[in-house]
Amino acid sequence: MTTTTIPRKSAAPGGRYRAALLSARGLTGLALVGVVALAGLLAPLLTGTDPNAQSALALAGPSAEHPFGTDDLGRDLYSRVLHGIGTDLALIVTAVPIGALLGCSAALLAASSRWADLAVQRAFDLLLAFPGLILALAVTAVLGPGRWPVVIVIALAEIPGFGRQLRAGILVQREREYALAARVGGASRARVLLRHVLPNAVDPLIVQTAVALSLGVFIEGAMSFLGLGVRPPEPTLGSILSQSVAYLATDPAFAAVPLAATTALVLGFTLIAEALNRGIRR
């Protein structure tokens, strides 16, 4: 009598993720995100200045009192940029898990039956049919500008990415020998999915999370840039960039600092995603 064994991956997921993050790409991405995120989280301690306090020093250059200069209303750019980073990160780390949860739940529902799969796929197509700007305009038209509309738009934009990644992983893994062996052994469909298939289908979701965080930075920045995001005078990187457009010719430094912070976040998350993607494919 022969027995069928369920194969296990040769390396623990944690080890592969750790090795990927310790690569050159991973460390560079972690350094970029870590420095910017730490500056945003510690903004009240690092600045000690009210980011909304106005003064007569409009568009002043860098000085000991204002390391990055001031904006068109005399507000300290150093304080506004650091607080803006904190606001952006708070919105993104709230919205991305919501989008991931909804997308993964939809993918699990799609795995339950052929008709559910068809309905979920059409729902994903519907969300993807709306460009991000149109989606932002629609949500803002109903709810008005603010924090929660930004969270909702980012979450809705992330649902298809997480859902399709998990659905693809489930379709591949449930045809593998270990899943077939579990079904032959009498395991229910739900047990095969949750106990055997799902743990082996999550690797792409780790990469998708880093991609989603990068996309979240773009969406928040675009909404704030267009006046659809967080209400002023609360600072965000996008709103500071929007204010600086009128002064690009006379004061390019006004835009340089928020642009550098946004670029560092996007590049950092992208490098982390690339490193993780290479790591899980080895």
Side-chain angles (χ1 to χ4, degrees):
M1 180 179 178
T2 60
T3 59
T4 304
T5 59
I6 298 175
R8 301 294 181 184
K9 292 182 178 179
S10 57
R16 289 184 289 116
Y17 301 151
R18 185 164 50 253
L21 293 175
L22 291 177
S23 66
R25 288 174 184 267
L27 288 174
T28 303
L30 287 174
L32 288 171
V33 173
V35 169
V36 177
L38 192 61
L41 292 173
L42 298 179
L45 299 176
L46 294 175
T47 61
T49 304
D50 183 354
N52 300 321
Q54 300 182 20
S55 71
L57 299 174
L59 298 176
S63 64
E65 185 179 2
H66 305 290
F68 296 161
T70 60
D71 67 4
D72 53 332
L73 297 177
R75 296 173 296 192
D76 182 48
L77 271 178
Y78 175 67
S79 179
R80 287 187 65 76
V81 168
L82 263 61
H83 281 85
I85 292 170
T87 302
D88 284 20
L89 291 176
L91 295 172
I92 294 164
V93 299
T94 301
V96 170
I98 293 174
L101 178 62
L102 293 175
C104 292
S105 299
L108 291 174
L109 176 64
S112 64
S113 71
R114 177 172 168 271
W115 293 108
D117 183 49
L118 184 62
V120 167
Q121 286 304 298
R122 297 295 76 79
F124 289 163
D125 290 341
L126 181 63
L127 285 174
L128 291 171
F130 284 92
L133 178 59
I134 301 301
L135 187 61
L137 288 171
V139 172
T140 307
V142 176
L143 300 177
R147 281 176 169 257
W148 278 111
V150 175
V151 170
I152 291 171
V153 171
I154 295 175
L156 289 174
E158 305 291 5
I159 289 174
F162 281 99
R164 288 191 162 181
Q165 286 284 3
L166 183 56
R167 175 182 176 272
I170 290 173
L171 290 177
V172 170
Q173 295 296 330
R174 70 183 181 186
E175 300 303 322
R176 295 287 176 87
E177 291 183 358
Y178 67 86
L180 297 175
R183 285 202 292 270
V184 171
S188 66
R189 185 170 185 169
R191 179 174 175 79
V192 171
L193 176 63
L194 298 177
R195 176 67 179 84
H196 302 295
V197 172
L198 193 58
N200 291 286
V202 297
D203 276 350
L205 298 181
I206 305 299
V207 180
Q208 182 63 30
T209 300
V211 174
L213 291 169
S214 175
L215 179 60
V217 175
F218 271 118
I219 294 174
E220 191 290 320
M223 290 185 67
S224 294
F225 187 87
L226 296 173
L228 304 175
V230 177
R231 296 177 184 271
E234 185 177 3
T236 64
L237 295 177
S239 64
I240 299 172
L241 280 172
S242 180
Q243 293 166 355
S244 70
V245 169
Y247 306 97
L248 284 177
T250 58
D251 191 7
F254 190 171
V257 179
L259 183 60
T262 302
T263 303
L265 282 175
V266 172
L267 180 60
F269 286 130
T270 301
L271 289 174
I272 291 172
E274 290 181 357
L276 289 171
N277 188 49
R278 291 188 176 203
I280 65 175
R281 291 179 181 276
R282 288 178 179 173

